[in-house]
Amino acid sequence: MKHLSLLALLLTAAPLFAQRNAKVPDPDPELERKTFVLPDGFEVNLFAADPMLAKPIQMNFDSKGRLWVAASEVYPQIKPGQKANDKILILEDTNNDGQADKTTVFADGLLIPTAVEPDQHGGCYAADSTDMVHFSDPDPKTGKATKKRIVLSGFGTEDTHHILHTFRTGPDCNLYMSQSIYIHSHIETPHGVRRLNAGGIWQFRPEHEKLDIFARGWVNTWGTAWNKWGTTFATDGAGGAGINYVVPGAAYVTARDVARILPGLNPGSPKYCGLEVVSGRHLPDDWQQNLITNDFRGHRVCRYIVQEDGAGFVAKEQKELIKSNHPAFRPIDVKMGPDGAIYIADWYNPIIQHGEVDFRDERRDHTHGRIWRVTAKGRKLVDKPTISGAKIEDLLELLKSPEDWTRSHARRELKARGQKEAYKPLVVWEAKQTDDAALLQALWVYQALDAANRPLITKLLDCKTPAVRASAWRVAGDFSDRELDGTITTRPIDDHPRARLEQVRALARLDKTAGVIASALDKPVDRWLDYAIWLSLRETKEQWLPRVKSGEFDFGGDPNKLVFALQAAGEADITTPLIDLVKGGKLSESATQSVLRTIAEVGKAKDISFVLSQLPKAPKGTTSVVLPAVEQAVRVKKFPAIEEKAVDEVLLRAALEEGGPARQAALRLAGMWKSDIVLDKYEDGVFKKEKIIPLEDAKAYFDAWLLYGGPE
């Protein structure tokens, strides 16, 4: 064990030692490029480098094809007396030769900006330490913003690489933003205070300035992306679970004050930073909808194939897009470009993070930075589409483009035109479409325009493409019962597991839907669906729990659903309906075990007596399931002894006849309750007679005497 502990320490310390021994390389970009190993058929060129930019942290393209970059030379900490002068930059390739030839300082004077997302009006949103800001009205001569507005303030400041970061526009044209584990945010918004302690992904609706938590958890979530169907994925720059499939409203590792979490798809993976979905005619077919992310510690740009698995996904790592041994190659963000190429932001630094070496370490690089551009040899690049200023009819046709990039920016431009200009042409265009994918694009535009198109939602909920049905459910959850005319909540549960998952998550946002949510239990349930149903019932408990307690509602008389719902509610006063279920005698054997265990877990002392009274007549195997829960409850809640002969009989039977977990729990209960008869008869009937006592049984016997106070 000592050797294993030492090995674990060495493995943990390896990155630290690597930081201490870091060497400062020659900063020539060409020397760095020559270290890159790419798959056959790919090549890489330098799109931009210092002095055009320094220290890129995040980047996003605008609809004109310009690359906006948040850059910080100050990170990880400003020096005393130093002027904050970090920047938002715009890089342009004006002659379409694959290299930036123009740079514009759009905004300066920032302190560690960790995000930028351009809007459709020549401005941008940016993360400036604890503030979300909007820059606008560029000067016609210099291109520099002349106006700055603080949109939201109060994001936490506890750690400079965990502060508000990585802005990304979703299919719904909302802005998604992240913060990380050390951050505590308390945001005053027009819709009330919003709080997020520790990590998570925010959802922001710019036109309403409405801020909500989309999902919570992770250590340092640093990358959010959507596939062509609108499914959400995320990466964690300080976690170890690889690709994360993001269920709306769900909690993941490190989430605070939650009862359950969802796992990542690749336990044991390196820390990943930045995330993009590959699409478009320029890249090979077998790369379409793959995920690209950055192992910034390992000097790699990684690729994953993601495939459906029940209601969730599996992610399988493939050969790297780029692999390098260059000590300063630090890929930190990755985006598809308007030309179909893959663009990689290289923070370029032999020293990373700031918890491993001194803030003032002289090897920290504050001046260099690169953007690399990866293309497929011999394949035609995509012609950059005209989006900004295009006719509405042309924008609508772009919604059928093979490139996710083009469709995304077309939707954003249509939203910017507003209902007055875009709504009627959208209705006409939608009426001509027969393809589910095109109709989904139309639905997202309606959503972005705040238009609840109930007939289209209904049509897509009935379509043949499960992924489209799933996305239609997510959109439906964005509107109220009134806007949807109340018909959505009465629809039957979807046959496809992932569509079913999105359905129950959408229903959790509507009224009086607990019965429909619970009906999802009638179909196969995997871990993703189990969690989604549990979370949806937990979130809606204020709607249904009082009705259950009053006897008005019982989930259609199905005891299994009632048990699941009450367990999801996690309330301490739910035992009465459970006890009534047991007394009614209509439960299956497995449900009986589950109900009795739940009563033991959440009940009070009087409920423990009821549980024990049921064990002699319960189905076979129930004692081994229930008695350990009784023991745990008694130990943690310090329930007093139940001085009833029947209790001793239950414990004695378990100790002498049941064996295994039932025997071990019975012995420890006997010790806590000082039941001499149980301990003495076990000693005489088993302990002294059997030649071989299972180790766990022997341990439980000695534990019992310790709990008792020691043998006389």
Side-chain angles (χ1 to χ4, degrees), residues 91-157:
L91 304 177
E92 295 182 67
D93 176 8
T94 61
N95 59 6
N96 295 320
D97 67 348
Q99 293 180 298
D101 48 54
K102 179 182 178 181
T103 183
T104 301
V105 178
F106 187 73
D108 56 16
L110 283 73
L111 178 60
I112 310 183
T114 47
V116 61
E117 177 69 297
D119 63 21
Q120 302 303 116
H121 306 288
C124 73
Y125 290 93
D128 184 18
S129 296
T130 61
D131 298 333
M132 176 187 183
V133 298
H134 185 260
F135 293 103
S136 61
D137 291 3
D139 182 281
K141 294 182 180 180
T142 65
K144 188 174 182 179
T146 61
K147 292 183 179 180
K148 174 183 177 180
R149 177 173 66 95
I150 296 178
V151 181
L152 295 171
S153 184
F155 294 97
T157 185

Side-chain angles (χ1 to χ4, degrees), residues 238-308:
I243 305 300
N244 290 266
Y245 162 43
V246 184
V247 174
Y252 296 78
V253 62
T254 80
R256 290 188 55 184
D257 303 322
V258 297
R260 290 180 63 181
I261 62 172
L262 282 177
L265 301 182
N266 309 99
S269 290
K271 304 173 179 182
Y272 288 137
C273 186
L275 185 65
E276 182 63 298
V277 177
V278 176
S279 80
R281 288 162 285 182
H282 172 62
L283 297 173
D285 291 345
D286 60 343
W287 283 63
Q288 300 301 312
Q289 297 300 300
N290 288 187
L291 297 187
I292 302 293
T293 186
N294 303 301
D295 176 5
F296 58 95
R297 287 174 173 259
H299 317 286
R300 304 185 302 151
V301 181
C302 301
R303 169 193 172 207
Y304 279 88
I305 292 177
V306 178
Q307 298 172 322
E308 283 193 6

Side-chain angles (χ1 to χ4, degrees), residues 454 480-491 507 510-513:
R454 184 177 59 81
S480 68
D481 289 311
R482 178 182 55 79
E483 291 172 303
L484 299 176
D485 199 25
T487 58
I488 300 297
T489 59
T490 61
R491 295 181 63 86
L507 290 172
L510 303 173
D511 293 332
K512 296 182 179 179
T513 57

